[in-house]
Amino acid sequence: MSLQEQPPDGLRQDEYRILREADLRDYLAQLPMIAKRLGGSPGAWSISEVGDGNLNLVFIARGGAGAIAVKQALPYVRLVGESWPLPLSRSHYEHLALLHQARLAPALVPMVLHHNEALALIAMEFLEPHIIMRKGLVAGTRYPRFVDDITTFLARTLFYSSDLAVPAAQKKAGIAAFAGNHALCKITEDLIFTDPYRVCRAKTAGPRPGSTRQPRGFAKILSCMSRSPGSS
């Protein structure tokens, strides 16, 4: 999938369904490359939902030969529920971003193994014994390669996506490919950069007509995001 593809106006809602452990097992068993990577009989696979973030379902599937991570977007903010809808297309943009970053900074991004746009699902390389870096820092773990890895990742992805390295037409096509990803940008703008510094109307009043922001659970989301930056 190239960055020149048009972002989806809406996923095929009749094909979308929220997967649980048993559903995911049946789905993965139909994918030869994934089944080979996991190894063994699908009935013996261990599949657990481990997502502790605000938005998505995250599964770890383990088999006799290996493990993978699977992420499925929900059509709403997980921490709040259906009263705060979010577009499933955010999975499409995450998939584009992961492929783009992997081309520019190989070995510094988890490998994408499978993507299903209709299910808003991404299967990717499972990294272990990695832990969430925030937890490692709190525990006092030292990361001797972090400075080199993060600066290499930033330098390569930022420079090789910039006007300094990309022809104008290609740069504009890349911008257009991500232009529809406004929902998550809006959450970041509101919850991280704006609302902590003002009396937020959305915490106490109903949503504005036509607004996708919902007041129910707003303070809880803000609290959790401030505790867990980068959670998914």
Side-chain angles (χ1 to χ4, degrees):
M1 183 176 296
S2 70
L3 292 184
Q4 282 70 34
E5 291 186 62
Q6 292 297 317
D9 294 327
L11 298 176
R12 298 183 294 277
Q13 298 295 331
D14 58 324
E15 296 184 25
Y16 177 83
R17 65 189 188 281
I18 296 175
L19 297 180
R20 304 303 177 190
E21 285 85 347
D23 304 317
L24 183 60
R25 184 189 311 277
D26 293 340
Y27 178 78
L28 296 178
Q30 301 173 37
L31 305 174
M33 187 183 75
I34 297 294
K36 181 179 179 180
R37 191 179 185 95
L38 292 175
S41 168
W45 294 346
S46 167
I47 299 180
S48 55
E49 206 284 314
V50 298
D52 62 352
N54 303 305
L55 303 178
N56 308 300
L57 296 175
V58 180
F59 300 88
I60 296 175
R62 297 181 183 273
I68 64 170
V70 180
K71 185 174 183 180
Q72 185 182 34
L74 294 170
Y76 48 80
V77 175
R78 173 178 179 165
L79 200 61
V80 177
E82 296 181 5
S83 64
W84 190 336
L86 276 182
L88 293 172
S89 59
R90 67 185 188 274
S91 176
H92 165 82
Y93 296 111
E94 179 174 357
H95 176 240
L96 285 187
L98 286 170
L99 294 184
H100 184 57
Q101 291 163 356
R103 285 193 293 268
L104 300 179
L108 293 177
V109 181
M111 182 190 308
V112 173
L113 305 172
H114 173 73
H115 175 237
N116 185 316
E117 186 175 299
L119 289 176
L121 178 146
I122 303 172
M124 65 185 75
E125 178 184 9
F126 178 58
L127 304 177
E128 59 179 348
H130 296 53
I131 63 171
I132 297 173
M133 189 175 181
R134 178 180 67 255
K135 296 181 179 179
L137 292 175
V138 169
T141 303
R142 293 182 178 272
Y143 294 94
R145 290 179 49 185
F146 173 67
V147 171
D148 183 61
D149 285 350
I150 195 64
T151 53
T152 298
F153 175 83
L154 290 172
R156 292 191 62 84
T157 57
L158 294 175
F159 176 80
Y160 289 112
S161 296
S162 74
D163 292 293
L164 297 174
V166 179
Q170 183 181 338
K171 175 66 181 296
K172 287 179 171 57
I175 293 173
F178 287 95
N181 188 29
H182 50 78
L184 292 187
C185 293
K186 182 63 173 172
I187 287 178
T188 299
E189 292 162 5
D190 287 346
L191 298 186
I192 307 302
F193 298 120
T194 303
D195 291 336
Y197 308 102
R198 69 175 183 179
V199 177
C200 182
R201 176 180 179 275
K203 292 180 182 179
T204 56
R208 295 185 295 275
S211 172
T212 59
R213 295 177 59 209
Q214 302 291 333
R216 181 181 174 187
F218 189 87
K220 185 177 182 182
I221 284 284
L222 180 58
S223 172
C224 289
M225 283 192 165
S226 63
R227 271 202 319 272
S228 307
S231 297
S232 59

